Amino acid sequence: MVGPFGGITAATLLRAVIDDPRRIGEPLSITVNYAGPIADGPFTIDAIPARTNRSTQHWTLTLTQHDAIATTATVVTGLRRPTWSDTEIAPPAAPPADEVPITPLPEYPAWMRNYEMRFVEGGEILSATPQPHTTSTTTLWVRDTPARPLDHTALTALSDVFFPRIMLRLGRFVAASTVSLTTYFHTDLSPTSDRPILATARAQHFGNGYFDQSAQLWSEDGKPLATSHQLVYFKD
C-alpha cells in the first residue's frame, strides 16, 4: 500500500547479487526489510559481500532513493554439494494445474496482471461479494505471464505473490504492507520449465497491527522449491 509489489523489490535486490562478478554459488536465502516506500524513478542498490567462506557467501544490501534508505536486505549464496536429503513437509492437496481454471484478475492492484493464477483455495477475496473466512489459507497454481522458465529472481517474487492474509480473514480489502520477508531456496532450479508451480500460504497470528505469513512453493512434480516467512503491517 506504500510502494511497489514487495516481491519485485526483493527480486531486484537478489538480481543485484546474482549479476555481481564477485558472487560464488547459488542463492540460498534472502531477507528483505522494507524500511520505506519506493517511488517511481531511479534508485541505487549497494551490494557488499560482507564475508566469503569456503561454502557460503554473505551479502548486505541497501536500496537508496532520494538520499534515503528505502530497503535493506541480506543474501546468502553457497555451493550446493550432493548429500543425504529428505523432505518432512508435503504439498497441499490440489488438482493438476490444467484442471483448475485460470482466475480472472482485477485491474487493481496492477502487479497481479504479471501472473497467471489458478486458485484451488482462498481466491474468494477476488469475488464480487467476498466474505470473512475462518482460515487464512490460500493455495493456487501460479506462473509468470507471459510464461518463462523459472529462475531464482522469479521464484523470489512468487514467494510474495499472496495478497495479505488479513483480507481473506476479514473478507474485505484493508491497508497492509510487508515489513520483512525471508525466502529460503531448496533447489538450484537447473533444469527448470515454465509450467505453473503450486503455492500455498497461511498466517499463524493476527494482532496489534501485525500478522505473520508462512508460504511453501512446490514444483508440479511435488518437489519443494522454496519456503518463505514474512511479517506484515495492517491498519484496520
Side-chain angles (χ1 to χ4, degrees):
M1 296 299 175
V2 295
F5 167 47
I8 195 64
T9 301
T12 302
L13 288 159
L14 183 63
R15 183 62 182 267
V17 172
I18 290 175
D19 287 349
D20 196 303
R22 297 170 292 179
R23 173 182 60 89
I24 65 166
E26 298 298 318
L28 301 179
S29 70
I30 178 171
T31 296
V32 182
N33 297 310
Y34 300 88
I38 302 172
D40 289 341
F43 55 81
T44 299
I45 294 177
D46 293 308
I48 300 172
R51 175 155 180 161
T52 300
N53 301 317
R54 287 188 298 176
S55 299
T56 60
Q57 189 175 47
H58 300 257
W59 293 76
T60 60
L61 300 96
T62 56
L63 188 155
T64 305
Q65 188 177 53
H66 306 312
D67 298 322
I69 293 176
T71 312
T72 65
T74 57
V75 170
V76 180
T77 64
L79 302 173
R80 295 184 182 272
R81 297 183 176 90
T83 63
W84 177 87
S85 63
D86 187 34
T87 302
E88 294 194 4
I89 56 176
D98 292 337
E99 296 181 10
V100 181
I102 297 174
T103 302
L105 298 175
E107 291 296 313
Y108 178 85
W111 65 264
M112 295 187 72
R113 299 197 301 275
N114 292 316
Y115 295 101
E116 173 193 283
M117 299 184 176
R118 302 167 183 258
F119 283 90
V120 177
E121 180 183 6
E124 297 84 356
I125 188 63
L126 299 177
S127 68
T129 56
Q131 300 295 320
H133 272 239
T134 57
T135 175
S136 65
T137 300
T138 290
T139 301
L140 73 158
W141 290 102
V142 61
R143 63 177 168 180
D144 286 275
T145 183
R148 68 182 183 92
L150 187 68
D151 59 18
H152 283 95
T153 52
L155 188 58
T156 299
L158 284 163
S159 71
D160 192 39
V161 78
F162 311 92
F163 46 80
R165 307 292 82 209
I166 187 69
M167 297 183 186
L168 186 61
R169 285 298 308 272
L170 297 182
R172 55 184 171 86
F173 285 88
V174 299
S177 181
T178 302
V179 177
S180 183
L181 166 68
T182 296
T183 298
Y184 303 103
F185 306 104
H186 301 306
T187 177
D188 60 8
L189 294 181
S190 178
T192 188
S193 75
D194 63 359
R195 291 288 297 165
I197 66 171
L198 186 62
T200 187
R202 63 161 298 173
Q204 279 76 225
H205 175 74
F206 302 84
N208 299 318
Y210 297 90
F211 68 88
D212 64 334
Q213 174 186 287
S214 295
Q216 301 171 4
L217 304 167
W218 300 85
S219 67
E220 221 174 6
D221 58 357
K223 295 179 180 178
L225 299 173
T227 51
S228 78
H229 307 278
Q230 66 176 269
L231 180 69
V232 183
Y233 160 85
F234 71 92
K235 185 178 181 180
D236 183 22

PDB file of all heavy atoms in Angstrom, residues 86-103:
ATOM      1  N   ASP A  86      16.040 -35.191   2.643  1.00  0.00           N
ATOM      2  CA  ASP A  86      14.701 -35.666   2.942  1.00  0.00           C
ATOM      3  C   ASP A  86      13.796 -34.437   3.044  1.00  0.00           C
ATOM      4  O   ASP A  86      14.264 -33.332   3.323  1.00  0.00           O
ATOM      5  CB  ASP A  86      14.678 -36.448   4.260  1.00  0.00           C
ATOM      6  CG  ASP A  86      13.331 -37.107   4.515  1.00  0.00           C
ATOM      7  OD1 ASP A  86      12.684 -37.523   3.532  1.00  0.00           O
ATOM      8  OD2 ASP A  86      12.918 -37.174   5.688  1.00  0.00           O
ATOM      9  N   THR A  87      12.509 -34.621   2.802  1.00  0.00           N
ATOM     10  CA  THR A  87      11.539 -33.533   2.903  1.00  0.00           C
ATOM     11  C   THR A  87      10.460 -33.937   3.886  1.00  0.00           C
ATOM     12  O   THR A  87       9.782 -34.947   3.686  1.00  0.00           O
ATOM     13  CB  THR A  87      10.896 -33.227   1.526  1.00  0.00           C
ATOM     14  OG1 THR A  87      11.922 -32.900   0.594  1.00  0.00           O
ATOM     15  CG2 THR A  87       9.914 -32.062   1.641  1.00  0.00           C
ATOM     16  N   GLU A  88      10.303 -33.175   4.973  1.00  0.00           N
ATOM     17  CA  GLU A  88       9.332 -33.513   6.006  1.00  0.00           C
ATOM     18  C   GLU A  88       7.971 -32.872   5.773  1.00  0.00           C
ATOM     19  O   GLU A  88       6.988 -33.279   6.393  1.00  0.00           O
ATOM     20  CB  GLU A  88       9.872 -33.113   7.380  1.00  0.00           C
ATOM     21  CG  GLU A  88      11.091 -33.922   7.799  1.00  0.00           C
ATOM     22  CD  GLU A  88      11.405 -33.767   9.278  1.00  0.00           C
ATOM     23  OE1 GLU A  88      10.630 -33.091   9.987  1.00  0.00           O
ATOM     24  OE2 GLU A  88      12.420 -34.333   9.719  1.00  0.00           O
ATOM     25  N   ILE A  89       7.902 -31.853   4.930  1.00  0.00           N
ATOM     26  CA  ILE A  89       6.614 -31.252   4.594  1.00  0.00           C
ATOM     27  C   ILE A  89       6.081 -31.904   3.323  1.00  0.00           C
ATOM     28  O   ILE A  89       6.820 -32.572   2.592  1.00  0.00           O
ATOM     29  CB  ILE A  89       6.726 -29.728   4.409  1.00  0.00           C
ATOM     30  CG1 ILE A  89       7.783 -29.387   3.349  1.00  0.00           C
ATOM     31  CG2 ILE A  89       7.043 -29.057   5.733  1.00  0.00           C
ATOM     32  CD1 ILE A  89       7.879 -27.899   3.045  1.00  0.00           C
ATOM     33  N   ALA A  90       4.789 -31.717   3.067  1.00  0.00           N
ATOM     34  CA  ALA A  90       4.160 -32.290   1.876  1.00  0.00           C
ATOM     35  C   ALA A  90       3.349 -31.214   1.177  1.00  0.00           C
ATOM     36  O   ALA A  90       2.791 -30.318   1.830  1.00  0.00           O
ATOM     37  CB  ALA A  90       3.254 -33.464   2.258  1.00  0.00           C
ATOM     38  N   PRO A  91       3.269 -31.265  -0.145  1.00  0.00           N
ATOM     39  CA  PRO A  91       2.459 -30.259  -0.844  1.00  0.00           C
ATOM     40  C   PRO A  91       0.990 -30.402  -0.506  1.00  0.00           C
ATOM     41  O   PRO A  91       0.513 -31.501  -0.188  1.00  0.00           O
ATOM     42  CB  PRO A  91       2.734 -30.562  -2.330  1.00  0.00           C
ATOM     43  CG  PRO A  91       3.188 -31.984  -2.352  1.00  0.00           C
ATOM     44  CD  PRO A  91       3.901 -32.223  -1.057  1.00  0.00           C
ATOM     45  N   PRO A  92       0.237 -29.324  -0.545  1.00  0.00           N
ATOM     46  CA  PRO A  92      -1.194 -29.396  -0.259  1.00  0.00           C
ATOM     47  C   PRO A  92      -1.923 -30.173  -1.343  1.00  0.00           C
ATOM     48  O   PRO A  92      -1.462 -30.251  -2.499  1.00  0.00           O
ATOM     49  CB  PRO A  92      -1.624 -27.930  -0.236  1.00  0.00           C
ATOM     50  CG  PRO A  92      -0.641 -27.243  -1.121  1.00  0.00           C
ATOM     51  CD  PRO A  92       0.656 -27.962  -0.912  1.00  0.00           C
ATOM     52  N   ALA A  93      -3.058 -30.744  -0.991  1.00  0.00           N
ATOM     53  CA  ALA A  93      -3.867 -31.449  -1.980  1.00  0.00           C
ATOM     54  C   ALA A  93      -4.400 -30.451  -3.001  1.00  0.00           C
ATOM     55  O   ALA A  93      -4.960 -29.406  -2.629  1.00  0.00           O
ATOM     56  CB  ALA A  93      -5.015 -32.174  -1.296  1.00  0.00           C
ATOM     57  N   ALA A  94      -4.227 -30.763  -4.269  1.00  0.00           N
ATOM     58  CA  ALA A  94      -4.682 -29.858  -5.326  1.00  0.00           C
ATOM     59  C   ALA A  94      -4.815 -30.634  -6.621  1.00  0.00           C
ATOM     60  O   ALA A  94      -3.985 -31.508  -6.915  1.00  0.00           O
ATOM     61  CB  ALA A  94      -3.705 -28.705  -5.510  1.00  0.00           C
ATOM     62  N   PRO A  95      -5.852 -30.344  -7.422  1.00  0.00           N
ATOM     63  CA  PRO A  95      -5.945 -30.961  -8.745  1.00  0.00           C
ATOM     64  C   PRO A  95      -4.770 -30.506  -9.601  1.00  0.00           C
ATOM     65  O   PRO A  95      -4.131 -29.487  -9.309  1.00  0.00           O
ATOM     66  CB  PRO A  95      -7.268 -30.419  -9.301  1.00  0.00           C
ATOM     67  CG  PRO A  95      -7.982 -29.826  -8.141  1.00  0.00           C
ATOM     68  CD  PRO A  95      -6.942 -29.400  -7.158  1.00  0.00           C
ATOM     69  N   PRO A  96      -4.452 -31.238 -10.674  1.00  0.00           N
ATOM     70  CA  PRO A  96      -3.405 -30.776 -11.591  1.00  0.00           C
ATOM     71  C   PRO A  96      -3.717 -29.376 -12.107  1.00  0.00           C
ATOM     72  O   PRO A  96      -4.884 -28.979 -12.234  1.00  0.00           O
ATOM     73  CB  PRO A  96      -3.444 -31.819 -12.717  1.00  0.00           C
ATOM     74  CG  PRO A  96      -4.037 -33.041 -12.089  1.00  0.00           C
ATOM     75  CD  PRO A  96      -5.025 -32.539 -11.074  1.00  0.00           C
ATOM     76  N   ALA A  97      -2.679 -28.633 -12.417  1.00  0.00           N
ATOM     77  CA  ALA A  97      -2.852 -27.243 -12.834  1.00  0.00           C
ATOM     78  C   ALA A  97      -3.795 -27.107 -14.022  1.00  0.00           C
ATOM     79  O   ALA A  97      -4.633 -26.196 -14.071  1.00  0.00           O
ATOM     80  CB  ALA A  97      -1.489 -26.633 -13.168  1.00  0.00           C
ATOM     81  N   ASP A  98      -3.689 -28.008 -14.981  1.00  0.00           N
ATOM     82  CA  ASP A  98      -4.504 -27.899 -16.192  1.00  0.00           C
ATOM     83  C   ASP A  98      -5.982 -28.153 -15.930  1.00  0.00           C
ATOM     84  O   ASP A  98      -6.820 -27.842 -16.783  1.00  0.00           O
ATOM     85  CB  ASP A  98      -3.996 -28.869 -17.259  1.00  0.00           C
ATOM     86  CG  ASP A  98      -2.615 -28.472 -17.777  1.00  0.00           C
ATOM     87  OD1 ASP A  98      -2.266 -27.279 -17.653  1.00  0.00           O
ATOM     88  OD2 ASP A  98      -1.894 -29.353 -18.299  1.00  0.00           O
ATOM     89  N   GLU A  99      -6.306 -28.707 -14.745  1.00  0.00           N
ATOM     90  CA  GLU A  99      -7.703 -28.949 -14.405  1.00  0.00           C
ATOM     91  C   GLU A  99      -8.319 -27.809 -13.601  1.00  0.00           C
ATOM     92  O   GLU A  99      -9.518 -27.850 -13.284  1.00  0.00           O
ATOM     93  CB  GLU A  99      -7.832 -30.257 -13.623  1.00  0.00           C
ATOM     94  CG  GLU A  99      -7.440 -31.491 -14.427  1.00  0.00           C
ATOM     95  CD  GLU A  99      -7.592 -32.775 -13.639  1.00  0.00           C
ATOM     96  OE1 GLU A  99      -8.176 -32.720 -12.522  1.00  0.00           O
ATOM     97  OE2 GLU A  99      -7.104 -33.818 -14.105  1.00  0.00           O
ATOM     98  N   VAL A 100      -7.519 -26.806 -13.257  1.00  0.00           N
ATOM     99  CA  VAL A 100      -8.004 -25.665 -12.478  1.00  0.00           C
ATOM    100  C   VAL A 100      -8.107 -24.462 -13.416  1.00  0.00           C
ATOM    101  O   VAL A 100      -7.123 -24.087 -14.057  1.00  0.00           O
ATOM    102  CB  VAL A 100      -7.056 -25.340 -11.310  1.00  0.00           C
ATOM    103  CG1 VAL A 100      -7.600 -24.171 -10.496  1.00  0.00           C
ATOM    104  CG2 VAL A 100      -6.866 -26.567 -10.428  1.00  0.00           C
ATOM    105  N   PRO A 101      -9.280 -23.848 -13.548  1.00  0.00           N
ATOM    106  CA  PRO A 101      -9.426 -22.732 -14.484  1.00  0.00           C
ATOM    107  C   PRO A 101      -8.606 -21.516 -14.057  1.00  0.00           C
ATOM    108  O   PRO A 101      -8.381 -21.280 -12.864  1.00  0.00           O
ATOM    109  CB  PRO A 101     -10.927 -22.427 -14.443  1.00  0.00           C
ATOM    110  CG  PRO A 101     -11.391 -22.967 -13.136  1.00  0.00           C
ATOM    111  CD  PRO A 101     -10.544 -24.168 -12.856  1.00  0.00           C
ATOM    112  N   ILE A 102      -8.158 -20.757 -15.034  1.00  0.00           N
ATOM    113  CA  ILE A 102      -7.452 -19.510 -14.767  1.00  0.00           C
ATOM    114  C   ILE A 102      -8.429 -18.509 -14.153  1.00  0.00           C
ATOM    115  O   ILE A 102      -9.548 -18.342 -14.630  1.00  0.00           O
ATOM    116  CB  ILE A 102      -6.844 -18.936 -16.055  1.00  0.00           C
ATOM    117  CG1 ILE A 102      -5.795 -19.905 -16.618  1.00  0.00           C
ATOM    118  CG2 ILE A 102      -6.214 -17.573 -15.802  1.00  0.00           C
ATOM    119  CD1 ILE A 102      -5.253 -19.495 -17.967  1.00  0.00           C
ATOM    120  N   THR A 103      -8.022 -17.870 -13.078  1.00  0.00           N
ATOM    121  CA  THR A 103      -8.881 -16.917 -12.379  1.00  0.00           C
ATOM    122  C   THR A 103      -8.800 -15.542 -13.035  1.00  0.00           C
ATOM    123  O   THR A 103      -7.690 -15.018 -13.222  1.00  0.00           O
ATOM    124  CB  THR A 103      -8.456 -16.798 -10.909  1.00  0.00           C
ATOM    125  OG1 THR A 103      -8.510 -18.081 -10.291  1.00  0.00           O
ATOM    126  CG2 THR A 103      -9.357 -15.823 -10.156  1.00  0.00           C
TER     127      THR A 103
END
